[in-house]
Amino acid sequence: MSASMTAQRPDPDAAAPLPHDASASRRSYDVDALAEEIVEKLTYSIGKSPARARKYDWLRAVTLTVRDRIIDHWLEAEDARAASGGKQVAYLSMEFLIGRLLRDAINNLNLTTQVAEALKRYNVDLDMIELLEPDAALGNGGLGRLAACFMESMASVGVPGFGYGIRYVHGFFRQEIADGAQVELPENWLLHGNPWEFERRERSYEIGFGGKVTSVVGEPGKPPRQLWRPAERVLAVAYDTPIVGWRGAHVNTLRLWSAQALDPILLDAFNSGDHIGALVESNKAEAITRVLYPADSHQAGQELRLRQEFFFSSASLQDIIRRHLETNESLSNLHDKVSIQLNDTHPAVSVAELMRLLVDVHGMEWDEAWEITRQTFSYTNHTLLPEALEHWPIHLFERLLPRQMQIIYAINAAVIRQAMESKGFDGGRIAAISLIDENNGRRVRMGQLAFVGSHAVNGVSALHTDLMKETVFHALHELYPDRIQNKTNGVTPRRWLMEANPGLTSLLKETIGEGFLDDISKIRDVERFATDAGFRDRFAAVKRENKARLADVISERLAISVDPDALFDIQVKRIHEYKRQFLNIIEAVALYDQIRSQPATNWTPRVKVFAGKAAPSYLQAKEIIHLANDVARVINSDPAVRDLLKVVFIPNYNVSLAEIIMPAADISEQISTAGLEASGTGNMKFALNGALTIGTLDGANVEMRDHIGEENIFIFGLTASEVAQRRREGHSGRSVIEGLPLLRDALHAISSGVFSPDEPNRYNGLVGNLYNNDWWMIAADFQSYWDTQRRADALWADPAEWNRKAILNTARMSWFSSDRSIREYAADIWRTGTDA
Ligand code: 26W
């Protein structure tokens, strides 16, 4: 009977931790001390003299030096947390799209100038060193990046907590473009090791898979106990990364699990010469945390994905219980001490696993366990796309997680009984709330499990939350009318303004003082400078500098030269049909047509920038990438265009590239089919950095319009209810297309091979789809989109007015800080205090 199957007991001989007197050992922040320590690290941690040190050695030495200062705060925070006995948050997410950490850590410790100076003494350039750090790309897109912003904001506003996830050896694949098409290559962020993490071997747990459940007769009058005997066991080992908040106020922990075999090598197999066999078990175990699944809208549905989900969920719950029992008598107050946030359905199996741990392992009564479970969990939904809602085949679930499947059946029976008795639910509504989807081969619906197992369920924008109540969770909303609430997303102003746009940050500091650094709502003070010509010019100069920096990156990576004085029109995000990169490309083709056919017109010079990855198995998305590159090749080399239009697809979009792109946009493309983008967060980053948004009334665009003012944002297209209605009525693009020559001709150019002379029919499917069933309303929204782009052209001709609106965007985006989101979660869902 291994550890994870029985209650964890606090380790008696662990000496009570001595209070950490940070002030005693706190490292100093002055340049001399930093310079000395960097060489100290180089010498004694890396074994190199400054003369022999290579660039990666300097990166490691600086990182270790900065890390020491974080550790001071970390240990202090650890003691404060333990002493306060307060409530903590556990944020469970399969993804944390962190990016680089050095600049963020240095900025949050206000060490930027000192570290730069210290390094200069050895002729080492901090900016160059920072570029060497690999992105921790442990996520796909919006959901993963939101988790990273939330971790930084929790540490900045003082919400004590842990992030729990998986330490993938290979994060999000590296994208290369070969002959216009996406090619996926393994990502290898651990190549030079990861100086930010600490292996915590003492924090490791056994995770079971498969096997059988036997019921053991319990005490008289008590139901028999269920005993799960897994057929397989792997070890989950913790790796901790400190997440430091603004001004080092707080440091939280990101605990990522790595899978290891209990027996690294089967010696008897090895000794009998079966060298491969000897390693099968450890290879199988380590495979669990080897690679991130690159799908972000289609459920891969593979067994390994379910193993990953259960592996990190069970390890996290066992760790939460162990930490709880270190300072609490029993688990009966677990929900008073920890709030567990489920980042989408990916960790939803946790609901069943916590029930197993409370009932089977810690001997709690079912009803008490269920109440504690529900009070402890809360669930965030990030998508309404049917194909992205997770539902696991029961045959797979039962084989891999037999006890958890039993518990899910029991939960389902109780919920259905309650629905029938308390709400008179029957037939259709029972089917709608059931955790079991009886159709298409009987599946477990993870959204329903997360919903019934939580005390709070939230969407990520006001529109999305309303649509959750009206569509996917309609019946459950009827059964539990006060469970769904809204928590509109946000982004951290440290990484996405201060660190990504130091030019704008120092202009703001000079103009409105530094108050906004501690309280972003003070950025509103810049509003009164929107009509100040001097300030407008300086604002525009900062934007131009950022555009020139992006132009350098484009020329370096693609050998394409773009004019920083042109209008930079940017769409960067995962490639997906509902995000409608195709609509943007069609507009580019139509504009190209017009520029060629009306050379006399005073066209606004534009640079259309695209970037984003497609899930490897998502062929339509990969075609869209191919089309973008094909269109770019033709337009950029056509002299008739006279540089009035350039199209660029920048490969390998990731957090670090986003930090260069977001400050360099004039127009931010947020053009999803209304009702389908849950929130968006790129939209917020662009607007905060002074870009004007062209977008549909979708996701958080709606609330951005409310905060920024509708005269300062370009809204176009069908609304979510109009889209739903058109879809209900059945809508083909044919009639619309034939009525719009601009659209018809652009589509004809694409489908007839103008941009793919080597394969003229390459885009027949893509265009044909539009004619037959304009599912994403591209044809339906084209004219409105075109007209709105032309309105933007007209405004661009009036720089003073453009910059006035751009300044108002920056001034009015403070509400979209992830600090505000986190404060709302803390107050309304987690019921934990915040400091600031
Ligand atoms: C099962 C495969 C899978 C993996 C990831 C399905 C769905 C996902 C994510 C939920 C997709 C995602 O990243 N959604 C995005 O989440 C952001 C943060 O809330 C929102 O801003 C975006 O609108 C939403 O698309």
Side-chain angles (χ1 to χ4, degrees):
M1 192 75 72
S2 70
S4 65
M5 306 307 142
T6 56
Q8 282 295 341
R9 294 274 169 275
D11 157 357
D13 57 23
L18 293 173
H20 169 75
D21 171 9
S23 58
S25 68
R26 183 181 284 278
R27 298 255 191 280
S28 91
Y29 279 35
D30 73 45
V31 179
D32 298 341
L34 285 163
E36 201 183 303
E37 268 175 61
I38 290 169
V39 167
E40 162 105 5
K41 297 291 182 199
L42 207 53
T43 314
Y44 297 105
S45 305
I46 298 157
K48 292 273 185 83
S49 66
R52 296 192 178 294
R54 308 169 66 81
K55 52 187 183 177
Y56 275 100
D57 301 323
W58 286 107
L59 170 65
R60 193 172 188 81
V62 171
T63 303
L64 294 175
T65 305
V66 171
R67 192 185 73 173
D68 283 1
R69 281 144 186 79
I70 295 176
I71 292 170
D72 284 333
H73 294 272
W74 201 11
L75 298 177
E76 222 173 83
E78 187 72 21
D79 291 345
R81 227 196 323 269
S84 77
K87 193 171 189 185
Q88 298 191 29
V89 171
Y91 197 87
L92 267 57
S93 179
M94 277 282 272
E95 305 184 18
F96 288 95
L97 195 42
I98 297 164
R100 293 178 174 133
L101 274 175
L102 182 57
R103 185 185 321 173
D104 192 50
I106 288 175
N107 181 63
N108 277 354
L109 291 171
N110 284 299
L111 274 175
T112 307
T113 39
Q114 298 99 312
V115 171
E117 257 170 58
L119 279 171
K120 213 178 285 153
R121 295 189 182 173
Y122 308 105
N123 302 324
V124 175
D125 169 16
L126 176 59
D127 290 344
M128 187 277 280
I129 290 287
E130 284 175 350
L131 294 179
L132 295 174
E133 184 182 356
D135 270 36
L138 308 180
N140 275 283
L143 170 142
R145 182 56 232 176
L146 185 83
C149 282
F150 276 12
M151 286 302 294
E152 194 270 351
S153 276
M154 282 165 67
S156 294
V157 303
V159 171
F162 275 62
Y164 283 107
I166 291 181
R167 180 181 181 269
Y168 301 103
V169 174
H170 302 292
F172 200 14
F173 66 81
R174 209 157 41 78
Q175 176 194 55
E176 281 191 3
I177 300 295
D179 304 325
Q182 169 179 294
V183 177
E184 301 90 23
L185 299 160
E187 186 281 333
N188 215 346
W189 70 298
L190 293 171
L191 190 63
H192 297 277
N194 171 16
W196 293 110
E197 68 183 8
F198 294 82
E199 184 186 28
R200 295 280 190 243
R201 188 149 281 281
E202 76 281 10
R203 288 282 178 185
S204 52
Y205 303 91
E206 279 188 24
I207 312 299
F209 293 104
K212 292 271 167 295
V213 180
T214 50
S215 51
V216 182
V217 183
E219 288 107 60
K222 288 237 175 154
R225 293 197 47 194
Q226 301 302 319
L227 200 59
W228 176 31
R229 289 182 193 289
E232 296 168 55
R233 297 162 204 274
V234 298
L235 203 59
V237 178
Y239 285 73
D240 288 357
T241 299
I243 303 293
V244 59
W246 176 237
R247 295 197 189 283
H250 297 272
V251 179
N252 278 336
T253 302
L254 177 59
R255 180 158 285 177
L256 301 179
W257 300 103
S258 176
Q260 291 170 16
L262 285 173
D263 311 325
I265 182 164
L266 304 176
L267 270 185
D268 42 9
F270 187 85
N271 297 337
S272 63
D274 174 6
H275 301 147
I276 307 299
L279 297 171
V280 166
E281 189 172 307
S282 78
N283 290 342
K284 193 161 182 222
E286 285 158 23
I288 293 173
T289 55
R290 179 75 43 75
V291 63
L292 165 79
Y293 268 89
D296 87 327
S297 57
H298 293 76
Q299 184 192 2
Q302 271 131 19
E303 176 172 337
L304 179 58
R305 169 77 180 193
L306 181 54
R307 282 172 178 269
Q308 290 185 334
E309 294 186 355
F310 180 70
F311 171 82
F312 101 98
S313 298
S314 181
S316 306
L317 293 174
Q318 293 186 55
D319 190 52
I320 289 165
I321 287 175
R322 177 174 172 172
R323 286 193 300 117
H324 179 82
L325 290 175
E326 278 167 0
T327 52
N328 296 273
E329 281 313 297
S330 80
L331 291 163
S332 56
N333 64 339
L334 181 70
H335 54 293
D336 299 330
K337 294 294 184 177
V338 65
S339 205
I340 304 177
Q341 190 69 34
L342 302 174
N343 199 20
D344 216 279
T345 58
H346 313 153
V349 67
S350 300
V351 172
E353 177 64 355
L354 182 58
M355 283 299 286
R356 181 187 74 84
L357 292 165
L358 294 178
V359 173
D360 296 1
V361 176
H362 294 273
M364 198 179 276
E365 290 304 314
W366 179 275
D367 295 348
E368 183 194 7
W370 181 242
E371 200 40 37
I372 289 173
T373 294
R374 240 178 27 72
Q375 288 305 327
T376 301
F377 283 117
S378 40
Y379 153 55
T380 302
N381 173 279
H382 296 268
T383 181
L384 300 175
L385 289 175
E387 65 268 27
L389 301 174
E390 292 191 296
H391 42 197
W392 291 105
I394 288 189
H395 64 80
L396 167 62
F397 210 105
E398 214 144 37
R399 175 168 54 76
L400 210 57
L401 304 166
R403 179 57 182 145
Q404 293 75 10
M405 192 62 235
Q406 282 181 351
I407 290 170
I408 289 171
Y409 280 132
I411 293 170
N412 199 32
V415 168
I416 288 174
R417 197 171 37 254
Q418 182 203 10
M420 294 166 90
E421 285 159 10
S422 67
K423 297 270 182 168
F425 272 33
D426 59 9
R429 284 191 292 175
I430 293 292
I433 64 169
S434 174
L435 309 191
I436 311 296
D437 176 355
E438 300 297 346
N439 314 318
N440 53 52
R442 303 197 72 233
R443 290 165 170 269
V444 183
R445 299 202 283 195
M446 303 311 277
Q448 275 66 10
L449 175 62
F451 193 113
V452 300
S454 295
H455 69 277
V457 172
N458 76 282
V460 290
S461 76
L463 173 63
H464 170 63
T465 301
D466 292 344
L467 291 173
M468 280 168 65
K469 294 174 180 173
E470 291 157 23
T471 60
V472 280
F473 294 122
H474 180 68
L476 280 169
H477 178 54
E478 218 178 317
L479 183 57
Y480 306 110
D482 52 13
R483 197 167 292 184
I484 296 181
Q485 56 181 283
N486 177 238
K487 289 286 169 281
T488 298
N489 282 165
V491 299
T492 167
R494 271 74 62 186
R495 184 178 292 268
W496 297 109
L497 178 60
M498 289 177 70
E499 295 156 30
N501 200 342
L504 179 55
T505 304
S506 39
L507 174 59
L508 291 169
K509 278 187 204 174
E510 289 153 28
T511 311
I512 60 172
E514 305 203 355
F516 74 98
L517 299 178
D518 295 303
D519 173 2
I520 190 73
S521 66
K522 291 203 172 77
I523 201 170
R524 187 80 192 223
D525 297 348
V526 78
E527 177 149 347
R528 58 194 162 80
F529 293 91
T531 51
D532 173 311
F535 179 80
R536 272 203 309 255
D537 294 348
R538 296 171 65 199
F539 185 88
V542 166
K543 177 64 75 177
R544 192 186 184 292
E545 252 169 58
N546 294 330
K547 292 167 68 176
R549 182 170 55 143
L550 177 56
D552 291 346
V553 168
I554 291 171
S555 115
E556 263 158 45
R557 296 190 191 179
L558 300 163
I560 297 173
S561 73
V562 297
D563 172 6
D565 291 316
L567 190 165
F568 275 27
D569 167 0
I570 302 182
Q571 185 173 22
V572 290
K573 52 188 72 224
R574 286 297 300 261
I575 310 295
H576 198 289
E577 289 165 287
Y578 86 81
K579 293 175 185 281
R580 300 203 294 188
Q581 283 90 356
F582 190 25
L583 173 59
N584 191 342
I585 295 167
I586 296 169
E587 197 267 342
V589 171
L591 182 58
Y592 170 55
D593 256 0
Q594 294 294 292
I595 290 173
R596 285 162 52 92
S597 58
Q598 300 169 30
T601 302
N602 172 22
W603 294 106
T604 300
R606 260 182 198 247
V607 175
K608 273 190 180 275
V609 177
F610 293 88
K613 295 173 181 176
S617 57
Y618 191 359
L619 301 183
Q620 291 88 339
K622 294 177 95 166
E623 260 193 343
I624 289 167
I625 292 177
H626 204 163
L627 177 61
N629 284 293
D630 277 349
V631 166
R633 191 188 63 257
V634 171
I635 291 179
N636 297 346
S637 58
D638 184 337
V641 176
R642 295 160 288 138
D643 285 359
L644 284 170
L645 177 59
K646 283 275 177 76
V647 177
V648 175
F649 187 96
I650 309 176
N652 204 34
Y653 180 60
N654 61 14
V655 172
S656 294
L657 181 55
E659 289 169 15
I660 294 170
I661 289 175
M662 295 296 173
D666 298 305
I667 281 188
S668 151
E669 297 271 354
Q670 309 299 332
I671 61 174
S672 52
T673 310
L676 291 170
E677 188 69 86
S679 162
T681 44
N683 46 5
M684 300 165 185
K685 295 160 189 170
F686 276 119
L688 182 61
N689 282 282
L692 300 189
T693 300
I694 184 166
T696 50
L697 286 177
D698 196 16
N701 295 356
V702 177
E703 288 149 280
M704 286 174 60
R705 185 265 325 258
D706 300 342
H707 280 83
I708 294 167
E710 62 188 338
E711 69 286 358
N712 303 312
I713 185 170
F714 294 106
I715 297 293
F716 75 96
L718 298 171
T719 62
S721 49
E722 290 166 339
V723 168
Q725 187 193 357
R726 292 231 179 171
R727 281 184 167 182
R728 272 194 306 278
E729 288 156 4
H731 154 84
S732 95
R734 186 172 304 284
S735 56
V736 178
I737 296 167
E738 272 145 14
L740 290 177
L742 208 52
L743 175 58
R744 184 198 58 226
D745 299 351
L747 291 175
H748 178 69
I750 294 170
S751 62
S752 62
V754 169
F755 303 101
S756 56
D758 52 329
E759 188 191 346
N761 308 326
R762 178 177 293 157
Y763 301 111
N764 276 1
L766 214 53
V767 173
N769 239 348
L770 225 48
Y771 270 85
N772 308 329
N773 146 20
D774 183 23
W775 183 245
W776 307 105
M777 302 298 159
I778 286 181
D781 273 348
F782 178 80
Q783 189 62 51
S784 168
Y785 180 55
W786 172 268
D787 297 343
T788 308
Q789 288 285 22
R790 300 296 75 77
R791 280 200 295 122
D793 281 345
L795 181 66
W796 183 254
D798 177 355
E801 189 53 8
W802 184 283
N803 290 313
R804 185 183 69 78
K805 290 177 185 287
I807 293 162
L808 291 179
N809 269 262
T810 295
R812 296 174 179 178
M813 278 300 290
S814 62
W815 188 79
F816 296 93
S817 163
S818 45
D819 295 354
R820 182 268 317 153
S821 309
I822 289 295
R823 285 197 191 94
E824 290 181 356
Y825 275 88
D828 307 340
I829 297 180
W830 302 333
R831 310 226 188 296
T832 56
T834 62
D835 275 19

